[in-house]
Amino acid sequence: MDIEYKEKLNESILSWLDDKFEKYANKNNLLCNYKTFNFIAKQENKIIGILTGYSVYNEEIYIDLLFVIEEYRKRGIGSKLIKQVEDYYRNKNFNYMSLVTCGFQAPKFYEKCGFILEFKRENKENPKLTRYYFVKYF
């Protein structure tokens, strides 16, 4: 057996993986339904914030990344992006949204947006990298 490192997977490998993952989910009587999503905030055609994520198993909405450029922070843009995700997926049979953030990022922000801290994994060497695992139920 050989193990190869790849920085990025090409389309044919991603397609193979999707197919195998879908078949495994179906074998377990689950519908994988993995779909990525992106919400982009713009002002005068300039991108000022992006929220990316994916849905899976018709149960979970996972927020992978939320970024607002620095000069536009503290203006409610991040909150509006999260609300847009909630509004889009509400009443579509999903149970919750989840995300992970680091200490230097925005744990307090997510609490203000109604997310509940499930647990945190402390980084004793660098507290800025402590990871916070959040959930918000629909």
Side-chain angles (χ1 to χ4, degrees), residues 9-63:
L9 299 177
N10 65 35
E11 240 359 90
S12 66
I13 292 174
L14 287 171
S15 179
W16 176 90
L17 181 59
D18 285 346
D19 179 61
K20 299 302 181 199
F21 195 76
E22 184 79 30
K23 284 179 180 171
Y24 184 71
N26 291 340
K27 182 179 174 183
N28 286 281
N29 296 318
L30 294 169
L31 174 62
C32 179
N33 200 23
Y34 180 89
K35 291 188 172 81
T36 60
F37 61 81
N38 306 283
F39 290 88
I40 302 168
K42 291 182 178 181
Q43 185 155 345
E44 298 173 7
N45 269 346
K46 176 184 176 185
I47 295 174
I48 58 174
I50 297 178
L51 187 151
T52 68
Y54 57 86
S55 62
V56 66
Y57 298 122
N58 279 355
E59 176 185 68
E60 178 181 13
I61 302 303
Y62 183 78
I63 296 174

Side-chain angles (χ1 to χ4, degrees), residues 124-135:
K124 297 191 187 304
E125 292 180 26
N126 188 349
K128 291 179 182 179
L129 297 178
T130 292
R131 298 177 65 81
Y132 296 79
Y133 295 76
F134 283 100
V135 67

Side-chain angles (χ1 to χ4, degrees), residues 96-99 116-120 132-135 137:
Y96 59 91
M97 298 188 312
S98 66
L99 62 92
I116 300 163
L117 180 65
E118 287 188 299
F119 67 94
K120 82 178 185 183
Y132 296 79
Y133 295 76
F134 283 100
V135 67
Y137 293 94

